[in-house]
PDB file of all heavy atoms in Angstrom:
ATOM      1  N   VAL M  39      12.318   1.229   9.151  1.00  0.00           N
ATOM      2  CA  VAL M  39      13.341   0.122   9.672  1.00  0.00           C
ATOM      3  C   VAL M  39      12.801  -0.578  10.931  1.00  0.00           C
ATOM      4  O   VAL M  39      12.388   0.008  11.849  1.00  0.00           O
ATOM      5  CB  VAL M  39      14.737   0.854  10.116  1.00  0.00           C
ATOM      6  CG1 VAL M  39      15.716  -0.130  10.706  1.00  0.00           C
ATOM      7  CG2 VAL M  39      15.313   1.430   8.682  1.00  0.00           C
ATOM      8  N   ILE M  40      12.898  -1.829  10.817  1.00  0.00           N
ATOM      9  CA  ILE M  40      12.542  -2.698  11.934  1.00  0.00           C
ATOM     10  C   ILE M  40      13.873  -3.594  12.208  1.00  0.00           C
ATOM     11  O   ILE M  40      14.475  -4.133  11.421  1.00  0.00           O
ATOM     12  CB  ILE M  40      11.436  -3.719  11.514  1.00  0.00           C
ATOM     13  CG1 ILE M  40      10.186  -3.006  11.241  1.00  0.00           C
ATOM     14  CG2 ILE M  40      11.232  -4.630  12.828  1.00  0.00           C
ATOM     15  CD1 ILE M  40       9.099  -3.864  10.621  1.00  0.00           C
ATOM     16  N   ALA M  41      14.368  -3.409  13.463  1.00  0.00           N
ATOM     17  CA  ALA M  41      15.508  -4.065  13.868  1.00  0.00           C
ATOM     18  C   ALA M  41      15.323  -5.038  14.863  1.00  0.00           C
ATOM     19  O   ALA M  41      14.413  -5.059  15.711  1.00  0.00           O
ATOM     20  CB  ALA M  41      16.502  -2.931  14.485  1.00  0.00           C
ATOM     21  N   THR M  42      16.192  -6.120  14.883  1.00  0.00           N
ATOM     22  CA  THR M  42      16.140  -7.044  15.905  1.00  0.00           C
ATOM     23  C   THR M  42      16.567  -6.467  17.147  1.00  0.00           C
ATOM     24  O   THR M  42      17.365  -5.494  17.185  1.00  0.00           O
ATOM     25  CB  THR M  42      17.009  -8.346  15.479  1.00  0.00           C
ATOM     26  OG1 THR M  42      18.320  -7.976  15.525  1.00  0.00           O
ATOM     27  CG2 THR M  42      16.617  -9.133  14.201  1.00  0.00           C
ATOM     28  N   PRO M  43      16.162  -6.853  18.282  1.00  0.00           N
ATOM     29  CA  PRO M  43      16.503  -6.298  19.562  1.00  0.00           C
ATOM     30  C   PRO M  43      18.143  -6.152  19.705  1.00  0.00           C
ATOM     31  O   PRO M  43      18.701  -5.278  20.131  1.00  0.00           O
ATOM     32  CB  PRO M  43      15.961  -7.100  20.623  1.00  0.00           C
ATOM     33  CG  PRO M  43      14.765  -7.766  20.024  1.00  0.00           C
ATOM     34  CD  PRO M  43      15.160  -8.013  18.494  1.00  0.00           C
ATOM     35  N   VAL M  44      18.803  -7.256  19.342  1.00  0.00           N
ATOM     36  CA  VAL M  44      20.328  -7.286  19.456  1.00  0.00           C
ATOM     37  C   VAL M  44      20.868  -6.210  18.469  1.00  0.00           C
ATOM     38  O   VAL M  44      21.825  -5.497  18.799  1.00  0.00           O
ATOM     39  CB  VAL M  44      20.895  -8.702  19.260  1.00  0.00           C
ATOM     40  CG1 VAL M  44      22.393  -8.583  19.249  1.00  0.00           C
ATOM     41  CG2 VAL M  44      20.224  -9.682  20.342  1.00  0.00           C
ATOM     42  N   ALA M  45      20.303  -6.063  17.389  1.00  0.00           N
ATOM     43  CA  ALA M  45      20.914  -5.039  16.381  1.00  0.00           C
ATOM     44  C   ALA M  45      20.841  -3.611  16.814  1.00  0.00           C
ATOM     45  O   ALA M  45      21.574  -2.806  16.510  1.00  0.00           O
ATOM     46  CB  ALA M  45      20.132  -5.200  15.119  1.00  0.00           C
ATOM     47  N   LEU M  46      19.974  -3.413  17.914  1.00  0.00           N
ATOM     48  CA  LEU M  46      19.860  -1.979  18.346  1.00  0.00           C
ATOM     49  C   LEU M  46      21.047  -1.810  19.330  1.00  0.00           C
ATOM     50  O   LEU M  46      21.227  -0.599  19.740  1.00  0.00           O
ATOM     51  CB  LEU M  46      18.637  -1.831  19.077  1.00  0.00           C
ATOM     52  CG  LEU M  46      17.288  -1.767  18.363  1.00  0.00           C
ATOM     53  CD1 LEU M  46      16.075  -1.604  19.224  1.00  0.00           C
ATOM     54  CD2 LEU M  46      17.381  -0.605  17.266  1.00  0.00           C
ATOM     55  N   ASN M  47      21.757  -2.794  19.828  1.00  0.00           N
ATOM     56  CA  ASN M  47      22.786  -2.681  20.729  1.00  0.00           C
ATOM     57  C   ASN M  47      24.186  -2.180  20.018  1.00  0.00           C
ATOM     58  O   ASN M  47      25.183  -2.908  20.220  1.00  0.00           O
ATOM     59  CB  ASN M  47      22.988  -3.959  21.531  1.00  0.00           C
ATOM     60  CG  ASN M  47      21.850  -4.357  22.411  1.00  0.00           C
ATOM     61  OD1 ASN M  47      21.174  -3.252  22.858  1.00  0.00           O
ATOM     62  ND2 ASN M  47      21.594  -5.586  22.660  1.00  0.00           N
ATOM     63  N   GLY M  48      24.222  -1.123  19.287  1.00  0.00           N
ATOM     64  CA  GLY M  48      25.311  -0.626  18.696  1.00  0.00           C
ATOM     65  C   GLY M  48      25.804  -1.170  17.416  1.00  0.00           C
ATOM     66  O   GLY M  48      26.838  -0.900  16.946  1.00  0.00           O
ATOM     67  N   PHE M  49      24.992  -1.992  16.668  1.00  0.00           N
ATOM     68  CA  PHE M  49      25.398  -2.421  15.438  1.00  0.00           C
ATOM     69  C   PHE M  49      25.245  -1.440  14.328  1.00  0.00           C
ATOM     70  O   PHE M  49      25.819  -1.587  13.181  1.00  0.00           O
ATOM     71  CB  PHE M  49      24.579  -3.716  15.040  1.00  0.00           C
ATOM     72  CG  PHE M  49      25.155  -4.983  15.851  1.00  0.00           C
ATOM     73  CD1 PHE M  49      24.622  -5.312  17.055  1.00  0.00           C
ATOM     74  CD2 PHE M  49      26.031  -5.683  15.181  1.00  0.00           C
ATOM     75  CE1 PHE M  49      25.178  -6.407  17.755  1.00  0.00           C
ATOM     76  CE2 PHE M  49      26.628  -6.769  15.852  1.00  0.00           C
ATOM     77  CZ  PHE M  49      26.128  -7.222  17.119  1.00  0.00           C
ATOM     78  N   PHE M  50      24.448  -0.417  14.495  1.00  0.00           N
ATOM     79  CA  PHE M  50      24.312   0.647  13.515  1.00  0.00           C
ATOM     80  C   PHE M  50      23.823   1.905  14.383  1.00  0.00           C
ATOM     81  O   PHE M  50      23.441   1.857  15.463  1.00  0.00           O
ATOM     82  CB  PHE M  50      23.387   0.302  12.363  1.00  0.00           C
ATOM     83  CG  PHE M  50      21.861   0.197  12.770  1.00  0.00           C
ATOM     84  CD1 PHE M  50      20.893   1.102  12.572  1.00  0.00           C
ATOM     85  CD2 PHE M  50      21.507  -1.048  13.311  1.00  0.00           C
ATOM     86  CE1 PHE M  50      19.579   0.945  12.899  1.00  0.00           C
ATOM     87  CE2 PHE M  50      20.059  -1.182  13.774  1.00  0.00           C
ATOM     88  CZ  PHE M  50      19.197  -0.250  13.451  1.00  0.00           C
ATOM     89  N   ASP M  51      23.931   3.104  13.637  1.00  0.00           N
ATOM     90  CA  ASP M  51      23.692   4.326  14.253  1.00  0.00           C
ATOM     91  C   ASP M  51      22.185   4.678  14.276  1.00  0.00           C
ATOM     92  O   ASP M  51      21.659   5.032  13.111  1.00  0.00           O
ATOM     93  CB  ASP M  51      24.495   5.549  13.522  1.00  0.00           C
ATOM     94  CG  ASP M  51      24.374   6.807  14.163  1.00  0.00           C
ATOM     95  OD1 ASP M  51      23.427   7.077  14.920  1.00  0.00           O
ATOM     96  OD2 ASP M  51      25.310   7.668  13.907  1.00  0.00           O
ATOM     97  N   THR M  52      21.499   4.271  15.338  1.00  0.00           N
ATOM     98  CA  THR M  52      20.086   4.419  15.259  1.00  0.00           C
ATOM     99  C   THR M  52      19.599   5.873  15.049  1.00  0.00           C
ATOM    100  O   THR M  52      18.674   6.164  14.195  1.00  0.00           O
ATOM    101  CB  THR M  52      19.334   3.795  16.530  1.00  0.00           C
ATOM    102  OG1 THR M  52      20.012   4.418  17.618  1.00  0.00           O
ATOM    103  CG2 THR M  52      19.713   2.307  16.603  1.00  0.00           C
ATOM    104  N   ALA M  53      20.323   6.842  15.685  1.00  0.00           N
ATOM    105  CA  ALA M  53      19.727   8.230  15.439  1.00  0.00           C
ATOM    106  C   ALA M  53      19.932   8.714  14.029  1.00  0.00           C
ATOM    107  O   ALA M  53      19.105   9.420  13.427  1.00  0.00           O
ATOM    108  CB  ALA M  53      20.600   9.117  16.450  1.00  0.00           C
ATOM    109  N   ALA M  54      21.021   8.239  13.327  1.00  0.00           N
ATOM    110  CA  ALA M  54      21.245   8.647  12.031  1.00  0.00           C
ATOM    111  C   ALA M  54      20.148   8.000  11.027  1.00  0.00           C
ATOM    112  O   ALA M  54      19.827   8.683  10.104  1.00  0.00           O
ATOM    113  CB  ALA M  54      22.672   8.370  11.473  1.00  0.00           C
ATOM    114  N   VAL M  55      19.934   6.702  11.514  1.00  0.00           N
ATOM    115  CA  VAL M  55      18.810   6.085  10.462  1.00  0.00           C
ATOM    116  C   VAL M  55      17.534   6.680  10.764  1.00  0.00           C
ATOM    117  O   VAL M  55      16.707   6.866   9.731  1.00  0.00           O
ATOM    118  CB  VAL M  55      18.910   4.484  10.865  1.00  0.00           C
ATOM    119  CG1 VAL M  55      17.576   3.926  10.332  1.00  0.00           C
ATOM    120  CG2 VAL M  55      20.157   3.874  10.257  1.00  0.00           C
ATOM    121  N   GLU M  56      17.152   6.996  11.929  1.00  0.00           N
ATOM    122  CA  GLU M  56      15.825   7.762  12.212  1.00  0.00           C
ATOM    123  C   GLU M  56      15.931   9.002  11.397  1.00  0.00           C
ATOM    124  O   GLU M  56      14.816   9.348  10.895  1.00  0.00           O
ATOM    125  CB  GLU M  56      15.623   7.785  13.639  1.00  0.00           C
ATOM    126  CG  GLU M  56      15.214   6.484  14.317  1.00  0.00           C
ATOM    127  CD  GLU M  56      14.897   6.655  15.877  1.00  0.00           C
ATOM    128  OE1 GLU M  56      15.223   7.575  16.453  1.00  0.00           O
ATOM    129  OE2 GLU M  56      14.269   5.686  16.284  1.00  0.00           O
ATOM    130  N   ALA M  57      16.932   9.781  11.564  1.00  0.00           N
ATOM    131  CA  ALA M  57      16.969  11.098  10.857  1.00  0.00           C
ATOM    132  C   ALA M  57      16.787  10.822   9.324  1.00  0.00           C
ATOM    133  O   ALA M  57      16.083  11.571   8.540  1.00  0.00           O
ATOM    134  CB  ALA M  57      18.200  11.864  11.115  1.00  0.00           C
ATOM    135  N   GLN M  58      17.566   9.728   8.776  1.00  0.00           N
ATOM    136  CA  GLN M  58      17.487   9.596   7.316  1.00  0.00           C
ATOM    137  C   GLN M  58      16.014   9.122   6.859  1.00  0.00           C
ATOM    138  O   GLN M  58      15.664   9.450   5.776  1.00  0.00           O
ATOM    139  CB  GLN M  58      18.394   8.397   7.028  1.00  0.00           C
ATOM    140  CG  GLN M  58      18.631   8.163   5.559  1.00  0.00           C
ATOM    141  CD  GLN M  58      19.746   7.090   5.381  1.00  0.00           C
ATOM    142  OE1 GLN M  58      20.085   6.332   6.228  1.00  0.00           O
ATOM    143  NE2 GLN M  58      20.225   7.013   4.204  1.00  0.00           N
ATOM    144  N   THR M  59      15.459   8.260   7.673  1.00  0.00           N
ATOM    145  CA  THR M  59      14.145   7.841   7.320  1.00  0.00           C
ATOM    146  C   THR M  59      12.890   8.697   7.660  1.00  0.00           C
ATOM    147  O   THR M  59      11.866   8.837   7.058  1.00  0.00           O
ATOM    148  CB  THR M  59      13.752   6.488   7.788  1.00  0.00           C
ATOM    149  OG1 THR M  59      13.748   6.524   9.248  1.00  0.00           O
ATOM    150  CG2 THR M  59      14.818   5.372   7.325  1.00  0.00           C
ATOM    151  N   GLY M  60      13.156   9.686   8.722  1.00  0.00           N
ATOM    152  CA  GLY M  60      12.182  10.387   9.237  1.00  0.00           C
ATOM    153  C   GLY M  60      11.135   9.669  10.034  1.00  0.00           C
ATOM    154  O   GLY M  60       9.992  10.246  10.272  1.00  0.00           O
ATOM    155  N   ARG M  61      11.476   8.578  10.422  1.00  0.00           N
ATOM    156  CA  ARG M  61      10.538   7.607  11.204  1.00  0.00           C
ATOM    157  C   ARG M  61      11.432   6.947  12.378  1.00  0.00           C
ATOM    158  O   ARG M  61      12.609   6.696  12.265  1.00  0.00           O
ATOM    159  CB  ARG M  61       9.939   6.644  10.357  1.00  0.00           C
ATOM    160  CG  ARG M  61       9.152   6.993   9.195  1.00  0.00           C
ATOM    161  CD  ARG M  61       8.794   5.913   8.216  1.00  0.00           C
ATOM    162  NE  ARG M  61       8.168   6.469   7.067  1.00  0.00           N
ATOM    163  CZ  ARG M  61       6.812   6.752   7.013  1.00  0.00           C
ATOM    164  NH1 ARG M  61       6.143   6.699   8.078  1.00  0.00           N
ATOM    165  NH2 ARG M  61       6.296   7.313   5.924  1.00  0.00           N
ATOM    166  N   PRO M  62      10.668   6.578  13.494  1.00  0.00           N
ATOM    167  CA  PRO M  62      11.350   5.888  14.474  1.00  0.00           C
ATOM    168  C   PRO M  62      11.645   4.456  13.957  1.00  0.00           C
ATOM    169  O   PRO M  62      11.002   3.862  13.160  1.00  0.00           O
ATOM    170  CB  PRO M  62      10.318   5.728  15.664  1.00  0.00           C
ATOM    171  CG  PRO M  62       9.104   5.945  15.040  1.00  0.00           C
ATOM    172  CD  PRO M  62       9.263   6.838  13.752  1.00  0.00           C
ATOM    173  N   ILE M  63      12.770   3.960  14.642  1.00  0.00           N
ATOM    174  CA  ILE M  63      13.081   2.407  14.353  1.00  0.00           C
ATOM    175  C   ILE M  63      12.127   1.705  15.184  1.00  0.00           C
ATOM    176  O   ILE M  63      12.061   1.924  16.365  1.00  0.00           O
ATOM    177  CB  ILE M  63      14.522   2.185  14.647  1.00  0.00           C
ATOM    178  CG1 ILE M  63      15.486   2.966  13.613  1.00  0.00           C
ATOM    179  CG2 ILE M  63      14.960   0.678  14.583  1.00  0.00           C
ATOM    180  CD1 ILE M  63      16.900   2.837  14.039  1.00  0.00           C
ATOM    181  N   ARG M  64      11.596   0.659  14.640  1.00  0.00           N
ATOM    182  CA  ARG M  64      10.750  -0.431  15.460  1.00  0.00           C
ATOM    183  C   ARG M  64      11.574  -1.539  15.755  1.00  0.00           C
ATOM    184  O   ARG M  64      12.242  -2.053  14.966  1.00  0.00           O
ATOM    185  CB  ARG M  64       9.468  -0.686  14.613  1.00  0.00           C
ATOM    186  CG  ARG M  64       8.727   0.556  14.101  1.00  0.00           C
ATOM    187  CD  ARG M  64       7.296   0.232  13.799  1.00  0.00           C
ATOM    188  NE  ARG M  64       6.592  -0.693  14.797  1.00  0.00           N
ATOM    189  CZ  ARG M  64       5.692  -1.626  14.520  1.00  0.00           C
ATOM    190  NH1 ARG M  64       5.524  -1.853  13.189  1.00  0.00           N
ATOM    191  NH2 ARG M  64       5.098  -2.315  15.454  1.00  0.00           N
TER     192      ARG M  64
END
Side-chain angles (χ1 to χ4, degrees):
V39 173
I40 300 173
T42 64
V44 177
L46 288 179
N47 293 331
F49 282 87
F50 65 102
D51 186 337
T52 56
V55 165
E56 287 181 342
Q58 186 179 21
T59 63
R61 300 174 186 278
I63 294 168
R64 298 197 56 214

